[in-house]
Amino acid sequence: MDRFFDANNPLMRFLARLVDLVILNVLTVVFALPLITAGASFTAMNYVILHYVREDETYTFRMFWKSFRENLKPGIAVGLIYMGAAAVTALDLWILRGLGSRTATALMIIITVAACLILVTAVYSFALLSRYENTVAGTLANAVRLTLGNLPRSLVMLLIWAGWLALLYLTRRGPVLAVTFGLSLPGFLCGFAYDKIFRRLEEKSSD
C-alpha cells in the first residue's frame, strides 16, 4: 500500500500530472477571459507545458504568473493578430457558405486549409514566445518557418487539436472536459511534438 501512494509510482505521477493540467487549464482560461490578454495567457500555458514535457521541477501557478508578466506585451500583440485572423477567416466562411456556388465551395476549402495552417502556426508562436526572446515579427516569422519546415509534426499537432475539438463537440461530457482540460491537454500533447524541434534548435545553437 505504501508503494502505491509513493510519489514516484507511475500511476501517482500520472494522476498528479492530470491535476496539474486541470490547474493549468483553469489558470489559462481565467487569465484569457479579458480576451486582450489571451495571447499572454496561452504563452504562459506553453511555458509551463514545456517544463512538464521535460519533467523539470514545476510550480504551476508561480511559473505561469512569471511567464504571463514577462510576456504580457508581446503576448497581447501576437494574440490580437491571431484573433484578428480567426475573425476574418470565420467571417469569410460564413459569407461563402451562403453563396452555395462551386466557386464558393472551392474558396471555403482553401480558406479552411489556410485556417488549419494558421492554427498550427499559432501553437508554434506561443511556444516560441514562451521560450525565446524575439520581436513579435521575428516570432511570427519563425513560427511560419517551423510550420512549413516540420510538416509531419505540424500535421500531428493539427490532428491533436482537430481530434480534441471533435471529441468536445460529440461527447455529452464535452463541457466538463472543456472546463478541466480544454486547452491544457491538447497543449500538453502538442508540447511533445514541438519540444523535439526546440531541442534540436538549442543543440545547434550551442555548437
Side-chain angles (χ1 to χ4, degrees):
M1 184 63 71
D2 291 340
R3 183 176 299 178
F4 177 81
F5 289 103
D6 187 350
N8 293 319
N9 182 299
L11 177 59
M12 294 302 295
R13 290 172 60 187
F14 172 75
L15 294 175
R17 183 61 74 220
L18 287 181
V19 173
D20 288 337
L21 289 173
V22 172
I23 295 172
L24 181 59
N25 191 71
V26 171
L27 287 172
T28 304
V29 171
V30 169
F31 279 79
L33 281 177
L35 289 184
I36 193 173
T37 59
S41 186
F42 296 154
T43 300
M45 181 187 77
N46 278 277
Y47 177 77
V48 178
I49 280 172
L50 196 57
H51 285 277
Y52 286 168
V53 170
R54 297 189 175 186
E55 297 186 349
D56 298 330
E57 185 176 5
T58 52
Y59 301 91
T60 300
F61 179 79
R62 186 188 308 174
M63 296 172 69
F64 183 96
W65 176 241
K66 173 181 180 294
S67 179
F68 183 86
R69 284 184 301 132
E70 292 178 351
N71 296 293
L72 182 59
K73 289 184 179 179
I76 288 176
V78 173
L80 288 176
I81 289 171
Y82 282 113
M83 282 192 285
V88 170
T89 300
L91 180 61
D92 287 344
L93 290 174
W94 181 74
I95 293 173
L96 290 170
R97 184 182 180 184
L99 298 179
S101 66
R102 291 183 178 180
T103 302
T105 301
L107 288 174
M108 288 179 67
I109 293 173
I110 293 172
I111 292 173
T112 301
V113 172
C116 291
L117 290 174
I118 291 172
L119 172 61
V120 177
T121 304
V123 174
Y124 280 120
S125 294
F126 295 121
L128 285 168
L129 192 59
S130 74
R131 184 72 179 175
Y132 309 106
E133 291 187 10
N134 203 340
T135 63
V136 170
T139 297
L140 295 175
N142 287 335
V144 172
R145 293 190 189 99
L146 291 182
T147 299
L148 300 178
N150 300 274
L151 284 178
R153 292 189 182 277
S154 299
L155 180 59
V156 168
M157 291 194 291
L158 177 60
L159 291 175
I160 288 171
W161 273 102
W164 179 246
L165 292 174
L167 178 64
L168 294 182
Y169 178 75
L170 294 173
T171 181
R172 293 181 180 178
R173 297 186 181 275
V176 176
L177 291 174
V179 171
T180 52
F181 300 108
L183 297 170
S184 61
L185 181 57
F188 179 61
L189 296 176
C190 286
F192 287 98
Y194 67 66
D195 177 50
K196 291 186 178 181
I197 300 172
F198 285 9
R199 286 181 185 272
R200 189 165 63 243
L201 294 173
E202 290 165 8
E203 288 174 1
K204 288 182 179 179
S205 64
S206 63
D207 291 341

